[in-house]
mmCIF file of all heavy atoms in Angstrom:
data_model
loop_
_atom_site.group_PDB
_atom_site.id
_atom_site.type_symbol
_atom_site.label_atom_id
_atom_site.label_comp_id
_atom_site.label_asym_id
_atom_site.label_seq_id
_atom_site.Cartn_x
_atom_site.Cartn_y
_atom_site.Cartn_z
ATOM 1 N N GLU A 660 21.789 -16.777 45.953
ATOM 2 C CA GLU A 660 20.398 -16.294 46.007
ATOM 3 C C GLU A 660 19.546 -17.177 46.928
ATOM 4 O O GLU A 660 18.708 -16.674 47.662
ATOM 5 C CB GLU A 660 19.803 -16.246 44.600
ATOM 6 C CG GLU A 660 18.463 -15.608 44.517
ATOM 7 C CD GLU A 660 18.028 -15.365 43.074
ATOM 8 O OE1 GLU A 660 18.854 -15.430 42.138
ATOM 9 O OE2 GLU A 660 16.820 -15.078 42.898
ATOM 10 N N THR A 661 19.734 -18.467 46.888
ATOM 11 C CA THR A 661 18.942 -19.391 47.712
ATOM 12 C C THR A 661 19.123 -19.105 49.193
ATOM 13 O O THR A 661 18.151 -19.037 49.945
ATOM 14 C CB THR A 661 19.313 -20.861 47.383
ATOM 15 O OG1 THR A 661 19.165 -21.069 45.993
ATOM 16 C CG2 THR A 661 18.439 -21.830 48.171
ATOM 17 N N ALA A 662 20.358 -18.923 49.629
ATOM 18 C CA ALA A 662 20.622 -18.632 51.032
ATOM 19 C C ALA A 662 20.073 -17.254 51.410
ATOM 20 O O ALA A 662 19.570 -17.075 52.529
ATOM 21 C CB ALA A 662 22.126 -18.685 51.304
ATOM 22 N N THR A 663 20.140 -16.312 50.500
ATOM 23 C CA THR A 663 19.605 -14.971 50.773
ATOM 24 C C THR A 663 18.087 -15.040 50.971
ATOM 25 O O THR A 663 17.568 -14.439 51.918
ATOM 26 C CB THR A 663 19.960 -14.023 49.613
ATOM 27 O OG1 THR A 663 21.358 -13.998 49.439
ATOM 28 C CG2 THR A 663 19.471 -12.609 49.893
ATOM 29 N N LEU A 664 17.424 -15.776 50.114
ATOM 30 C CA LEU A 664 15.970 -15.909 50.245
ATOM 31 C C LEU A 664 15.599 -16.630 51.546
ATOM 32 O O LEU A 664 14.634 -16.251 52.222
ATOM 33 C CB LEU A 664 15.388 -16.659 49.053
ATOM 34 C CG LEU A 664 15.530 -15.965 47.704
ATOM 35 C CD1 LEU A 664 14.921 -16.816 46.581
ATOM 36 C CD2 LEU A 664 14.901 -14.595 47.709
ATOM 37 N N ALA A 665 16.369 -17.633 51.913
ATOM 38 C CA ALA A 665 16.114 -18.339 53.185
ATOM 39 C C ALA A 665 16.293 -17.385 54.363
ATOM 40 O O ALA A 665 15.546 -17.426 55.329
ATOM 41 C CB ALA A 665 17.036 -19.539 53.318
ATOM 42 N N GLY A 666 17.278 -16.499 54.279
ATOM 43 C CA GLY A 666 17.542 -15.543 55.352
ATOM 44 C C GLY A 666 16.421 -14.542 55.554
ATOM 45 O O GLY A 666 16.271 -13.967 56.652
ATOM 46 N N LEU A 667 15.621 -14.313 54.524
ATOM 47 C CA LEU A 667 14.477 -13.383 54.650
ATOM 48 C C LEU A 667 13.437 -13.910 55.652
ATOM 49 O O LEU A 667 12.644 -13.145 56.185
ATOM 50 C CB LEU A 667 13.816 -13.143 53.303
ATOM 51 C CG LEU A 667 14.586 -12.271 52.308
ATOM 52 C CD1 LEU A 667 13.859 -12.237 50.976
ATOM 53 C CD2 LEU A 667 14.795 -10.865 52.864
ATOM 54 N N SER A 668 13.454 -15.196 55.895
ATOM 55 C CA SER A 668 12.492 -15.819 56.824
ATOM 56 C C SER A 668 13.096 -16.062 58.207
ATOM 57 O O SER A 668 12.457 -16.694 59.058
ATOM 58 C CB SER A 668 11.977 -17.140 56.253
ATOM 59 O OG SER A 668 11.313 -16.896 55.032
ATOM 60 N N SER A 669 14.287 -15.580 58.430
ATOM 61 C CA SER A 669 14.952 -15.810 59.720
ATOM 62 C C SER A 669 14.186 -15.146 60.852
ATOM 63 O O SER A 669 13.532 -14.115 60.662
ATOM 64 C CB SER A 669 16.376 -15.239 59.672
ATOM 65 O OG SER A 669 16.965 -15.286 60.944
ATOM 66 N N SER A 670 14.278 -15.721 62.032
ATOM 67 C CA SER A 670 13.655 -15.114 63.220
ATOM 68 C C SER A 670 14.507 -13.976 63.763
ATOM 69 O O SER A 670 14.048 -13.202 64.612
ATOM 70 C CB SER A 670 13.425 -16.171 64.288
ATOM 71 O OG SER A 670 14.672 -16.716 64.688
ATOM 72 N N ILE A 671 15.737 -13.833 63.256
ATOM 73 C CA ILE A 671 16.656 -12.783 63.731
ATOM 74 C C ILE A 671 16.532 -11.597 62.791
ATOM 75 O O ILE A 671 16.803 -11.690 61.600
ATOM 76 C CB ILE A 671 18.099 -13.331 63.768
ATOM 77 C CG1 ILE A 671 18.158 -14.553 64.684
ATOM 78 C CG2 ILE A 671 19.057 -12.257 64.237
ATOM 79 C CD1 ILE A 671 19.463 -15.341 64.574
ATOM 80 N N VAL A 672 16.143 -10.456 63.368
ATOM 81 C CA VAL A 672 15.893 -9.234 62.585
ATOM 82 C C VAL A 672 17.122 -8.802 61.802
ATOM 83 O O VAL A 672 17.027 -8.422 60.619
ATOM 84 C CB VAL A 672 15.380 -8.079 63.477
ATOM 85 C CG1 VAL A 672 15.244 -6.803 62.699
ATOM 86 C CG2 VAL A 672 14.076 -8.444 64.142
ATOM 87 N N SER A 673 18.296 -8.851 62.432
ATOM 88 C CA SER A 673 19.507 -8.391 61.724
ATOM 89 C C SER A 673 19.836 -9.250 60.503
ATOM 90 O O SER A 673 20.331 -8.751 59.490
ATOM 91 C CB SER A 673 20.722 -8.355 62.687
ATOM 92 O OG SER A 673 20.942 -9.623 63.240
ATOM 93 N N ILE A 674 19.523 -10.533 60.567
ATOM 94 C CA ILE A 674 19.744 -11.396 59.380
ATOM 95 C C ILE A 674 18.725 -11.072 58.307
ATOM 96 O O ILE A 674 19.076 -10.978 57.115
ATOM 97 C CB ILE A 674 19.685 -12.889 59.785
ATOM 98 C CG1 ILE A 674 20.868 -13.172 60.660
ATOM 99 C CG2 ILE A 674 19.629 -13.779 58.553
ATOM 100 C CD1 ILE A 674 21.201 -14.583 60.931
ATOM 101 N N ARG A 675 17.457 -10.856 58.686
ATOM 102 C CA ARG A 675 16.430 -10.479 57.688
ATOM 103 C C ARG A 675 16.825 -9.157 57.020
ATOM 104 O O ARG A 675 16.709 -9.006 55.818
ATOM 105 C CB ARG A 675 15.074 -10.343 58.364
ATOM 106 C CG ARG A 675 14.435 -11.643 58.707
ATOM 107 C CD ARG A 675 12.932 -11.539 58.961
ATOM 108 N NE ARG A 675 12.512 -10.395 59.756
ATOM 109 C CZ ARG A 675 12.301 -10.432 61.080
ATOM 110 N NH1 ARG A 675 12.529 -11.549 61.751
ATOM 111 N NH2 ARG A 675 11.877 -9.361 61.710
ATOM 112 N N ARG A 676 17.288 -8.195 57.822
ATOM 113 C CA ARG A 676 17.690 -6.895 57.268
ATOM 114 C C ARG A 676 18.838 -7.049 56.285
ATOM 115 O O ARG A 676 18.828 -6.494 55.182
ATOM 116 C CB ARG A 676 18.066 -5.927 58.378
ATOM 117 C CG ARG A 676 18.399 -4.524 57.874
ATOM 118 C CD ARG A 676 18.822 -3.525 58.926
ATOM 119 N NE ARG A 676 18.180 -3.673 60.237
ATOM 120 C CZ ARG A 676 18.820 -4.158 61.320
ATOM 121 N NH1 ARG A 676 20.078 -4.547 61.257
ATOM 122 N NH2 ARG A 676 18.192 -4.253 62.470
ATOM 123 N N LEU A 677 19.848 -7.823 56.668
ATOM 124 C CA LEU A 677 21.024 -8.053 55.839
ATOM 125 C C LEU A 677 20.591 -8.715 54.515
ATOM 126 O O LEU A 677 21.003 -8.282 53.432
ATOM 127 C CB LEU A 677 22.028 -8.941 56.568
ATOM 128 C CG LEU A 677 23.327 -9.257 55.849
ATOM 129 C CD1 LEU A 677 24.183 -8.015 55.735
ATOM 130 C CD2 LEU A 677 24.079 -10.337 56.601
ATOM 131 N N CYS A 678 19.738 -9.725 54.597
ATOM 132 C CA CYS A 678 19.269 -10.419 53.388
ATOM 133 C C CYS A 678 18.448 -9.486 52.494
ATOM 134 O O CYS A 678 18.555 -9.516 51.281
ATOM 135 C CB CYS A 678 18.518 -11.674 53.772
ATOM 136 S SG CYS A 678 19.610 -12.952 54.443
ATOM 137 N N ALA A 679 17.597 -8.667 53.105
ATOM 138 C CA ALA A 679 16.774 -7.723 52.324
ATOM 139 C C ALA A 679 17.684 -6.686 51.641
ATOM 140 O O ALA A 679 17.414 -6.286 50.497
ATOM 141 C CB ALA A 679 15.762 -7.041 53.232
ATOM 142 N N GLN A 680 18.771 -6.301 52.303
ATOM 143 C CA GLN A 680 19.697 -5.364 51.681
ATOM 144 C C GLN A 680 20.401 -6.004 50.477
ATOM 145 O O GLN A 680 20.594 -5.371 49.445
ATOM 146 C CB GLN A 680 20.724 -4.879 52.718
ATOM 147 C CG GLN A 680 20.149 -3.958 53.749
ATOM 148 C CD GLN A 680 21.099 -3.721 54.935
ATOM 149 O OE1 GLN A 680 22.002 -4.488 55.216
ATOM 150 N NE2 GLN A 680 20.845 -2.627 55.643
ATOM 151 N N VAL A 681 20.758 -7.267 50.615
ATOM 152 C CA VAL A 681 21.380 -7.975 49.502
ATOM 153 C C VAL A 681 20.405 -8.124 48.344
ATOM 154 O O VAL A 681 20.734 -7.899 47.184
ATOM 155 C CB VAL A 681 21.920 -9.370 49.945
ATOM 156 C CG1 VAL A 681 22.365 -10.199 48.758
ATOM 157 C CG2 VAL A 681 23.066 -9.195 50.935
ATOM 158 N N VAL A 682 19.142 -8.471 48.658
ATOM 159 C CA VAL A 682 18.110 -8.569 47.626
ATOM 160 C C VAL A 682 17.972 -7.235 46.903
ATOM 161 O O VAL A 682 17.882 -7.179 45.665
ATOM 162 C CB VAL A 682 16.747 -8.980 48.245
ATOM 163 C CG1 VAL A 682 15.634 -8.748 47.270
ATOM 164 C CG2 VAL A 682 16.785 -10.443 48.650
ATOM 165 N N SER A 683 18.012 -6.154 47.648
ATOM 166 C CA SER A 683 17.872 -4.821 47.066
ATOM 167 C C SER A 683 19.067 -4.510 46.152
ATOM 168 O O SER A 683 18.869 -4.018 45.029
ATOM 169 C CB SER A 683 17.822 -3.775 48.198
ATOM 170 O OG SER A 683 17.657 -2.505 47.678
ATOM 171 N N GLN A 684 20.264 -4.826 46.589
ATOM 172 C CA GLN A 684 21.456 -4.526 45.786
ATOM 173 C C GLN A 684 21.536 -5.398 44.541
ATOM 174 O O GLN A 684 21.876 -4.927 43.471
ATOM 175 C CB GLN A 684 22.727 -4.759 46.618
ATOM 176 C CG GLN A 684 22.888 -3.781 47.736
ATOM 177 C CD GLN A 684 23.960 -4.233 48.765
ATOM 178 O OE1 GLN A 684 24.496 -5.348 48.675
ATOM 179 N NE2 GLN A 684 24.224 -3.372 49.705
ATOM 180 N N ARG A 685 21.200 -6.675 44.708
ATOM 181 C CA ARG A 685 21.334 -7.634 43.584
ATOM 182 C C ARG A 685 20.051 -7.744 42.784
ATOM 183 O O ARG A 685 20.037 -8.402 41.742
ATOM 184 C CB ARG A 685 21.728 -9.012 44.120
ATOM 185 C CG ARG A 685 23.094 -9.083 44.793
ATOM 186 C CD ARG A 685 24.191 -8.719 43.824
ATOM 187 N NE ARG A 685 24.184 -9.660 42.716
ATOM 188 C CZ ARG A 685 25.172 -10.413 42.349
ATOM 189 N NH1 ARG A 685 26.315 -10.333 42.964
ATOM 190 N NH2 ARG A 685 25.051 -11.262 41.348
ATOM 191 N N ARG A 686 18.990 -7.115 43.247
ATOM 192 C CA ARG A 686 17.691 -7.129 42.563
ATOM 193 C C ARG A 686 17.211 -8.549 42.254
ATOM 194 O O ARG A 686 16.853 -8.862 41.116
ATOM 195 C CB ARG A 686 17.769 -6.264 41.313
ATOM 196 C CG ARG A 686 18.007 -4.823 41.634
ATOM 197 C CD ARG A 686 17.965 -3.962 40.396
ATOM 198 N NE ARG A 686 17.988 -2.566 40.783
ATOM 199 C CZ ARG A 686 18.973 -1.733 40.512
ATOM 200 N NH1 ARG A 686 19.992 -2.129 39.806
ATOM 201 N NH2 ARG A 686 18.911 -0.486 40.937
ATOM 202 N N PHE A 687 17.183 -9.367 43.288
ATOM 203 C CA PHE A 687 16.679 -10.732 43.148
ATOM 204 C C PHE A 687 15.177 -10.729 43.021
ATOM 205 O O PHE A 687 14.427 -10.652 44.010
ATOM 206 C CB PHE A 687 17.093 -11.605 44.338
ATOM 207 C CG PHE A 687 18.568 -11.896 44.482
ATOM 208 C CD1 PHE A 687 19.147 -12.071 45.738
ATOM 209 C CD2 PHE A 687 19.374 -12.020 43.368
ATOM 210 C CE1 PHE A 687 20.490 -12.360 45.865
ATOM 211 C CE2 PHE A 687 20.729 -12.302 43.494
ATOM 212 C CZ PHE A 687 21.288 -12.478 44.751
ATOM 213 N N ALA A 688 14.660 -10.806 41.811
ATOM 214 C CA ALA A 688 13.227 -10.741 41.556
ATOM 215 C C ALA A 688 12.492 -11.911 42.229
ATOM 216 O O ALA A 688 11.315 -11.809 42.577
ATOM 217 C CB ALA A 688 12.947 -10.723 40.071
ATOM 218 N N SER A 689 13.180 -13.023 42.418
ATOM 219 C CA SER A 689 12.556 -14.189 43.043
ATOM 220 C C SER A 689 12.148 -13.927 44.508
ATOM 221 O O SER A 689 11.401 -14.677 45.093
ATOM 222 C CB SER A 689 13.489 -15.398 42.969
ATOM 223 O OG SER A 689 14.698 -15.095 43.629
ATOM 224 N N ALA A 690 12.634 -12.835 45.088
ATOM 225 C CA ALA A 690 12.334 -12.494 46.474
ATOM 226 C C ALA A 690 11.041 -11.701 46.604
ATOM 227 O O ALA A 690 10.593 -11.447 47.739
ATOM 228 C CB ALA A 690 13.491 -11.722 47.076
ATOM 229 N N GLU A 691 10.409 -11.328 45.520
ATOM 230 C CA GLU A 691 9.255 -10.447 45.554
ATOM 231 C C GLU A 691 8.166 -10.961 46.502
ATOM 232 O O GLU A 691 7.680 -10.218 47.372
ATOM 233 C CB GLU A 691 8.678 -10.256 44.148
ATOM 234 C CG GLU A 691 7.493 -9.306 44.116
ATOM 235 C CD GLU A 691 6.971 -9.175 42.699
ATOM 236 O OE1 GLU A 691 6.839 -10.210 41.988
ATOM 237 O OE2 GLU A 691 6.650 -8.043 42.336
ATOM 238 N N GLY A 692 7.729 -12.175 46.358
ATOM 239 C CA GLY A 692 6.667 -12.736 47.200
ATOM 240 C C GLY A 692 7.036 -12.751 48.670
ATOM 241 O O GLY A 692 6.240 -12.383 49.544
ATOM 242 N N LEU A 693 8.273 -13.192 48.950
ATOM 243 C CA LEU A 693 8.738 -13.202 50.360
ATOM 244 C C LEU A 693 8.755 -11.808 50.936
ATOM 245 O O LEU A 693 8.363 -11.588 52.090
ATOM 246 C CB LEU A 693 10.143 -13.804 50.439
ATOM 247 C CG LEU A 693 10.240 -15.324 50.376
ATOM 248 C CD1 LEU A 693 11.686 -15.750 50.229
ATOM 249 C CD2 LEU A 693 9.652 -15.934 51.635
ATOM 250 N N LEU A 694 9.242 -10.843 50.173
ATOM 251 C CA LEU A 694 9.294 -9.467 50.654
ATOM 252 C C LEU A 694 7.898 -8.905 50.937
ATOM 253 O O LEU A 694 7.692 -8.191 51.924
ATOM 254 C CB LEU A 694 10.054 -8.577 49.666
ATOM 255 C CG LEU A 694 11.555 -8.798 49.591
ATOM 256 C CD1 LEU A 694 12.136 -8.009 48.410
ATOM 257 C CD2 LEU A 694 12.251 -8.413 50.894
ATOM 258 N N LEU A 695 6.955 -9.205 50.052
ATOM 259 C CA LEU A 695 5.589 -8.748 50.281
ATOM 260 C C LEU A 695 5.017 -9.371 51.550
ATOM 261 O O LEU A 695 4.333 -8.673 52.328
ATOM 262 C CB LEU A 695 4.724 -9.058 49.068
ATOM 263 C CG LEU A 695 4.980 -8.187 47.851
ATOM 264 C CD1 LEU A 695 4.299 -8.743 46.624
ATOM 265 C CD2 LEU A 695 4.531 -6.750 48.111
ATOM 266 N N ASP A 696 5.290 -10.632 51.810
ATOM 267 C CA ASP A 696 4.881 -11.265 53.065
ATOM 268 C C ASP A 696 5.553 -10.624 54.256
ATOM 269 O O ASP A 696 4.931 -10.364 55.272
ATOM 270 C CB ASP A 696 5.179 -12.762 53.050
ATOM 271 C CG ASP A 696 4.341 -13.551 52.043
ATOM 272 O OD1 ASP A 696 3.279 -13.015 51.624
ATOM 273 O OD2 ASP A 696 4.717 -14.668 51.718
ATOM 274 N N ARG A 697 6.853 -10.375 54.138
ATOM 275 C CA ARG A 697 7.618 -9.769 55.226
ATOM 276 C C ARG A 697 7.140 -8.339 55.518
ATOM 277 O O ARG A 697 7.173 -7.906 56.669
ATOM 278 C CB ARG A 697 9.111 -9.726 54.921
ATOM 279 C CG ARG A 697 9.832 -11.043 54.810
ATOM 280 C CD ARG A 697 9.698 -11.979 55.946
ATOM 281 N NE ARG A 697 9.856 -11.399 57.269
ATOM 282 C CZ ARG A 697 9.655 -12.074 58.418
ATOM 283 N NH1 ARG A 697 9.355 -13.338 58.399
ATOM 284 N NH2 ARG A 697 9.813 -11.481 59.556
ATOM 285 N N ALA A 698 6.682 -7.647 54.497
ATOM 286 C CA ALA A 698 6.204 -6.269 54.669
ATOM 287 C C ALA A 698 5.030 -6.241 55.653
ATOM 288 O O ALA A 698 4.921 -5.362 56.502
ATOM 289 C CB ALA A 698 5.809 -5.667 53.349
ATOM 290 N N THR A 699 4.161 -7.231 55.563
ATOM 291 C CA THR A 699 3.023 -7.326 56.463
ATOM 292 C C THR A 699 3.505 -7.624 57.892
ATOM 293 O O THR A 699 3.094 -6.991 58.842
ATOM 294 C CB THR A 699 2.043 -8.418 56.019
ATOM 295 O OG1 THR A 699 1.623 -8.125 54.702
ATOM 296 C CG2 THR A 699 0.864 -8.517 56.952
ATOM 297 N N TYR A 700 4.441 -8.520 57.988
ATOM 298 C CA TYR A 700 4.976 -8.947 59.285
ATOM 299 C C TYR A 700 5.787 -7.843 59.954
ATOM 300 O O TYR A 700 5.684 -7.628 61.166
ATOM 301 C CB TYR A 700 5.838 -10.185 59.095
ATOM 302 C CG TYR A 700 6.411 -10.749 60.367
ATOM 303 C CD1 TYR A 700 5.635 -11.524 61.237
ATOM 304 C CD2 TYR A 700 7.743 -10.481 60.721
ATOM 305 C CE1 TYR A 700 6.169 -12.027 62.400
ATOM 306 C CE2 TYR A 700 8.266 -10.996 61.876
ATOM 307 C CZ TYR A 700 7.494 -11.768 62.730
ATOM 308 O OH TYR A 700 8.025 -12.266 63.890
ATOM 309 N N ASP A 701 6.595 -7.113 59.188
ATOM 310 C CA ASP A 701 7.500 -6.104 59.737
ATOM 311 C C ASP A 701 6.987 -4.672 59.639
ATOM 312 O O ASP A 701 7.722 -3.705 59.794
ATOM 313 C CB ASP A 701 8.865 -6.185 59.008
ATOM 314 C CG ASP A 701 9.657 -7.406 59.409
ATOM 315 O OD1 ASP A 701 9.681 -7.736 60.602
ATOM 316 O OD2 ASP A 701 10.263 -8.053 58.521
ATOM 317 N N HIS A 702 5.686 -4.525 59.381
ATOM 318 C CA HIS A 702 5.107 -3.219 59.178
ATOM 319 C C HIS A 702 5.324 -2.267 60.382
ATOM 320 O O HIS A 702 5.488 -1.069 60.228
ATOM 321 C CB HIS A 702 3.604 -3.322 58.887
ATOM 322 C CG HIS A 702 2.964 -2.049 58.534
ATOM 323 N ND1 HIS A 702 2.386 -1.199 59.452
ATOM 324 C CD2 HIS A 702 2.831 -1.423 57.328
ATOM 325 C CE1 HIS A 702 1.910 -0.137 58.881
ATOM 326 N NE2 HIS A 702 2.167 -0.234 57.578
#
């Protein structure tokens, strides 16, 4: 989970997408804040 959350902040879009997909599948609730921040950035 720690590496997945770190990947959400990657500058590489494909890594962010991959990590967001893992968060979605595994339902990592700890990613909520990061995802909300990323939503603004990736809108």
